[in-house]
Amino acid sequence: MTSPTVQQLGEIGLLQHLRQFCPTEAIADDAALLSVAPDHQLVVTTDVLVEKVHFSDRTTSAQDIGWRATAANLSDLAAMGAEPLGITLGLGLPPTTSLDWIEPFYQGMGACLSHYGGVILGGDLCRAPVITVAITALGQVRPQRVLRRSAAQAGDAIVVTGEHGASRAGLELLLKPESGKTLAAGDRQHLIKAHQRPRPRFDVLPTLWQVCATLNRPIAAMDSSDGLANAVLQICRESQTGAHLVRSQLPLPAVFTPWLNAAQALDWCLYGGEDFELVIALPPASAHHLVEQLGKSAAIVGTIVAEPTVTLRETAAAEPTATLTLEQGFQHF
Amino acid sequence: MTSPTVQQLGEIGLLQHLRQFCPTEAIADDAALLSVAPDHQLVVTTDVLVEKVHFSDRTTSAQDIGWRATAANLSDLAAMGAEPLGITLGLGLPPTTSLDWIEPFYQGMGACLSHYGGVILGGDLCRAPVITVAITALGQVRPQRVLRRSAAQAGDAIVVTGEHGASRAGLELLLKPESGKTLAAGDRQHLIKAHQRPRPRFDVLPTLWQVCATLNRPIAAMDSSDGLANAVLQICRESQTGAHLVRSQLPLPAVFTPWLNAAQALDWCLYGGEDFELVIALPPASAHHLVEQLGKSAAIVGTIVAEPTVTLRETAAAEPTATLTLEQGFQHF
């Protein structure tokens, strides 16, 4: 028996199927109601994912697309220091889309939300030429805990959580299954999972608050959704600073050697994007303390400097080998 | 000189052009920060508009599309009794889209926001096969003023603001300029404007609060974005009631006679959609008081009844001539 399409179900029929994924109040009114805790600010972020631009059936199941779209937005909340409240979903669907795609997609979103917090607060369904997923995530944060791109200061150490380049490598393995033949099956799966099931790093925040409890200044942070280089460059631009990045300290996945040559590995690490880790600038003592607490899942990769350029060097003491610019990085057009 | 396209500008170039339309903070971080007033609840609503599905260059300029997309979302806030805080915008663009389209689009959004309140809080730009506009609107409301679809009670009068069918008639005139030859130029423009520049009815709310100040119960309301019949049916479904609608009291634009035959005029009034007026169920004495205060821009069109069907009759005392169902109405697929 084949699953019904959107056209066969009609909007009302489809909504009946989707009610199970949303709290009742959310889809029974013109808009959703939500309380923000006293002494908290609201945090809002939006992302649009388009079929054939941001995802394809070839590399990502409906369930993974639901997870990733949700995780990408939640990651922006984590990068502000906020905890999730919920999301709204604007979903554009071709009339031929099958319920077999839609239900797993909602399941993926639900799995991500139940893991990290928040509910589907409501949304909008409409017809579109390709599947289009517009998510707005809402979170809340105490004003003194807001992480801002603009808060970096010369002398700060740059802490990066997790590995970078893993998501890009996972995509490569999905697009070209014949590549990476030397990789062990477990390593392969690890990279593919980094692409399909990214994890917003809310787990880093309590440690960060604890390490910074006595600092009387804001902390700079951004997520690395558009690449590690992009995050450092954006923090520097908004803070009117520059940075020295040290190549030997960059968090490349260990399995990149001997699979990739050094240039390719560096490129994916700096520009691959979609790792959804955190890039944080804070005073060196706090940075060392943070990395100690987080263990091997974080590293200090460089220093914020007053001169407004971002350079890359082999070691902290070496001369720069490259200057990084926003134009090199992840562009959406 | 032709205007540059998105592809020529690149994402960074495009963002430079768009900065003028957003408060600085909004586009300089991972997410936007916002305060909700103490003792208020947050209200959130999302809409997606897709080129060739919801709008076309043939009938609507970029500026009008910006206005309409914003107004449609703000109307959902008004239907909850909320005041606007701002919107986020997820904008999907084909690479060939010209800045000549994008800037007027933002101007239209800005014009609507500066008229009704709120700012562009942030957003996301991406590539898409057709122009795709995903807007999430945020507002705030005191809990005791929330208007709910589920609050109607048997015996309530149904008040409808404004005219219904005007937006659908305006669309017809845009699609078929040869139709409506008997209409005066001013009337023609009035209908076209109803389609291109709908007005969310925040202006009704202070009068509604005043009229209901001593009522100790919630008021039911919904906006008529998906048609007048749809709004009544949704209120009845959520309130587990039915309604008697009276055909002779329906708010048809006066210019429909003699242009349209009675069946066509009724169809557009009940099912045309996109008038973005308010449908409100409240006790008869308050309803009469409300209509008196609002003047000729509002009418009582029927009564909420206990039996869960929505019927139409010629006069309040007559037998029903039709039963309305959600399936008849505005469907998005």
Side-chain angles (χ1 to χ4, degrees), chain A residues 125-296:
Chain A
L125 292 167
C126 72
R127 186 154 53 88
V130 296
I131 296 174
T132 308
V133 180
I135 292 183
T136 297
L138 304 172
Q140 61 183 7
V141 62
R142 289 178 199 276
Q144 66 274 23
R145 286 188 173 172
V146 174
L147 303 174
R148 291 181 186 279
R149 290 186 191 168
S150 59
Q153 297 178 14
D156 280 357
I158 302 169
V159 171
V160 169
T161 66
E163 297 172 336
H164 279 78
S167 174
R168 178 65 187 80
L171 177 63
E172 187 82 359
L173 295 173
L174 287 164
L175 289 172
K176 301 179 192 158
E178 73 282 6
S179 67
K181 283 238 156 38
T182 56
L183 293 171
D187 293 338
R188 226 183 148 79
Q189 270 320 301
H190 166 76
L191 295 173
I192 287 174
K193 203 171 165 207
H195 181 72
Q196 291 175 332
R197 294 266 165 163
R199 303 165 310 156
R201 299 303 304 268
F202 292 103
D203 60 310
V204 169
L205 298 178
T207 314
L208 183 61
W209 307 144
Q210 184 205 319
V211 163
C212 297
T214 59
L215 285 183
N216 201 12
R217 54 157 278 199
I219 303 302
M222 180 171 167
D223 83 335
S224 61
S225 50
D226 289 349
L228 172 53
N230 179 277
V232 173
L233 285 157
Q234 299 262 17
I235 287 173
C236 287
R237 185 174 70 175
E238 298 303 331
S239 302
Q240 297 177 286
T241 64
H244 292 176
L245 292 178
V246 181
R247 180 169 161 144
S248 58
Q249 291 169 13
L250 291 177
L252 275 73
V255 297
F256 275 14
T257 317
W259 174 28
L260 305 172
N261 67 42
Q264 175 80 92
L266 181 67
D267 185 67
W268 286 1
C269 178
L270 287 176
Y271 300 111
E274 305 200 322
D275 289 301
F276 300 105
E277 295 288 343
L278 293 179
V279 177
I280 308 167
L282 70 178
S286 309
H288 283 283
H289 195 179
L290 178 63
V291 169
E292 232 171 71
Q293 296 284 315
L294 293 175
K296 63 174 182 160

Side-chain angles (χ1 to χ4, degrees), chain B residues 34 38 75 82 100 110 113 121 149 160 165-166 186 211 230 233 250 263 279 285-286 292 302 310 312 314 328 330:
Chain B
L34 194 63
S75 179
D100 274 349
L113 288 170
L121 291 164
R149 291 185 191 169
V160 169
V211 162
N230 179 277
L233 285 158
L250 292 177
V279 177
S286 309
E292 230 171 72
V310 176
L312 184 67
E314 281 303 313
Q328 285 164 282
F330 203 94

Side-chain angles (χ1 to χ4, degrees), chain A residues 6 11 29-35 41-48 88 124 134 136 148-149 223 331-333, chain B residues 6 11 29-35 41-48 88 124 134 136 148-149 223 331-333:
Chain A
V6 168
E11 186 176 13
D29 229 315
D30 296 87
L33 282 167
L34 194 63
S35 295
Q41 280 196 287
L42 180 71
V43 182
V44 193
T45 179
T46 290
D47 255 323
V48 183
T88 63
D124 187 34
T136 297
R148 291 181 186 279
R149 290 186 191 168
D223 83 335
Q331 293 250 355
H332 293 96
F333 289 103
Chain B
V6 168
E11 186 176 14
D29 228 316
D30 296 86
L33 282 165
L34 194 63
S35 295
Q41 280 197 287
L42 181 71
V43 181
V44 194
T45 179
T46 289
D47 255 323
V48 184
T88 64
D124 187 34
T136 298
R148 292 183 185 279
R149 291 185 191 169
D223 83 335
Q331 293 249 358
H332 292 96
F333 290 103

Side-chain angles (χ1 to χ4, degrees), chain B residues 251-296:
Chain B
L252 276 74
V255 297
F256 276 13
T257 318
W259 174 29
L260 306 172
N261 67 42
Q264 176 80 92
L266 180 67
D267 184 67
W268 285 1
C269 177
L270 287 176
Y271 300 112
E274 305 199 324
D275 288 301
F276 300 105
E277 295 288 343
L278 294 178
V279 177
I280 308 167
L282 71 177
S286 309
H288 283 283
H289 194 178
L290 178 63
V291 169
E292 230 171 72
Q293 296 284 313
L294 293 176
K296 63 177 181 160

